[in-house]
Structure formats: structure tokens, C-alpha cells
Amino acid sequence: MRQLLRAKTIILQHLIGNQPKLYRSVQAQFTEHDSFDSICKGHGRIEKRKVSTAYIDLKLPEWLSVKTVIKVESERQLRAKTEFSTRYYISDLTESALKFYQRIRGYWGVENQVHYVRDVTQGEDKSRIRTDPLPQILAEARNLALNLYRDAGFDNMAQAQRQCQFSLKHITSLFRMK
């Protein structure tokens, strides 16, 4: 995950274990400096998160700019089961645990608003179109549709798509045509 802010690249990278040396180094050296706890209820579950930060010198040549390691411990209580997970992030910023919590949650907000809608509602991952330039053209058409739905006041993209599939009146209203 990389974010652009004022022409400076901010690194906020999720570690997933595909770089075992880095991952082991982060786990071994993590000593909590600051933390923030949150509890979210909704969609039939309770999610507890603890975001902790540590300032670490990884002593790895390819990661010299890393200043902070972020540890996110999650507990999701579903109706019949509880799931636990621990994720690590690295960053070149030195912010509070609350600020990192907001950045990480903000990223997932974008993921859920855009990528999830495109993947699930619009079926982008199921598309079998692979020949250039068609994938890019269809991605732009999907983005246009989402922007038109949001501009028309829809919050639920699946509902907007269903209404427009079955009524020319809805499509023309999106384009403000008579």
C-alpha cells in the first residue's frame, strides 16, 4: 500500500510473509511504543483491533528508510466463532498509533468502496476479456458507471446496477437526458 501526499511518497507497506527475512526481523524486534484500541460493531460481528507502533532500525540495506513498524491485532467475533489475526506494516513515517489506525482503515475504506464493488458487483475478476486494449476500456466504463451511480445519489451500487439493467428511464436519468 503506497499513498501519495504532497509529492512525497509515503511508505505504508503490509508485510505478508513473502519476504521472510524482513518478517522475522520485524517480529523479533517489535517492542511496543504506542497503542490504540478500537471496537467496531456491525454486519453481525464485533471486531476488536489493537494497533501498536514500534520504532525499529531493521538494519536491512533494502529497508533503510523504514522508521516505524505497526502491529495490528484483530479479534472478530462472529455468531459461533472467534477469529484472531496479527498483521504487520512498515512505514517511513513516525506517527501515533491512532494516526496509523486511521491510515490503514482509510485504505480498506477505498478497497471496499471501489475494488470490492468492481470485483463483486460488476464481476471484473470473472471477465474473460484479456486482449489489449479491451480490459482498460471496460475498466473505464465500470468506473464511469460507478461515478454516475454515486452522482445520482445511490449508496448501494448493486441496487443501482440492478435498477439500470432493467429500465432505460434510470439510465437516461443518470445522463440527465430527457
Side-chain angles (χ1 to χ4, degrees):
M1 163 183 359
R2 289 186 186 257
Q3 300 174 343
L4 232 52
L5 181 65
R6 292 189 210 123
K8 177 189 172 195
T9 301
I10 296 171
I11 299 171
L12 183 57
Q13 180 69 45
H14 180 208
L15 301 181
I16 54 175
N18 61 350
Q19 298 192 18
K21 187 176 179 182
L22 174 62
Y23 196 82
R24 283 192 306 271
S25 179
V26 164
Q27 280 185 311
Q29 295 183 49
F30 191 89
T31 304
E32 183 179 306
H33 168 37
D34 182 24
S35 69
F36 174 77
D37 295 307
S38 75
I39 298 175
C40 298
K41 298 177 184 178
H43 304 286
R45 62 181 175 254
I46 299 172
E47 295 189 49
K48 298 177 186 174
R49 289 183 195 85
K50 179 181 181 184
V51 177
S52 308
T53 58
Y55 303 118
I56 296 175
D57 180 10
L58 293 174
K59 296 178 182 78
L60 297 172
E62 60 272 21
W63 300 103
L64 293 177
S65 65
V66 171
K67 297 176 184 170
T68 309
V69 174
I70 304 97
K71 180 179 182 180
V72 179
E73 299 170 284
S74 300
E75 176 185 328
R76 278 179 40 167
Q77 295 175 348
L78 303 167
R79 287 182 183 87
K81 65 178 179 174
T82 302
E83 299 173 348
F84 298 94
S85 71
T86 301
R87 297 180 307 280
Y88 290 94
Y89 296 82
I90 56 174
S91 179
D92 63 347
L93 299 173
T94 52
E95 295 183 332
S96 68
L98 171 61
K99 287 285 190 183
F100 279 118
Y101 168 81
Q102 291 169 338
R103 282 186 185 275
I104 292 167
R105 294 297 292 162
Y107 168 79
W108 285 109
V110 170
E111 178 72 23
N112 291 337
Q113 277 190 324
V114 178
H115 300 294
Y116 179 83
V117 170
R118 286 178 56 176
D119 291 346
V120 176
T121 304
Q122 295 181 324
E124 188 172 62
D125 285 348
K126 293 178 185 175
S127 175
R128 306 211 14 106
I129 297 170
R130 304 277 188 264
T131 307
D132 284 336
L134 292 177
Q136 181 65 31
I137 292 169
L138 286 175
E140 290 174 15
R142 290 182 186 105
N143 286 339
L144 173 65
L146 290 177
N147 288 331
L148 289 170
Y149 297 156
R150 288 194 174 106
D151 188 52
F154 283 99
D155 291 325
N156 184 328
M157 298 301 117
Q159 181 183 34
Q161 187 167 310
R162 279 192 301 275
Q163 285 185 7
C164 290
Q165 283 175 337
F166 298 115
S167 173
L168 186 58
K169 181 178 107 182
H170 288 307
I171 294 174
T172 56
S173 71
L174 292 176
F175 286 99
R176 293 180 177 84
M177 298 170 71
K178 296 184 180 195

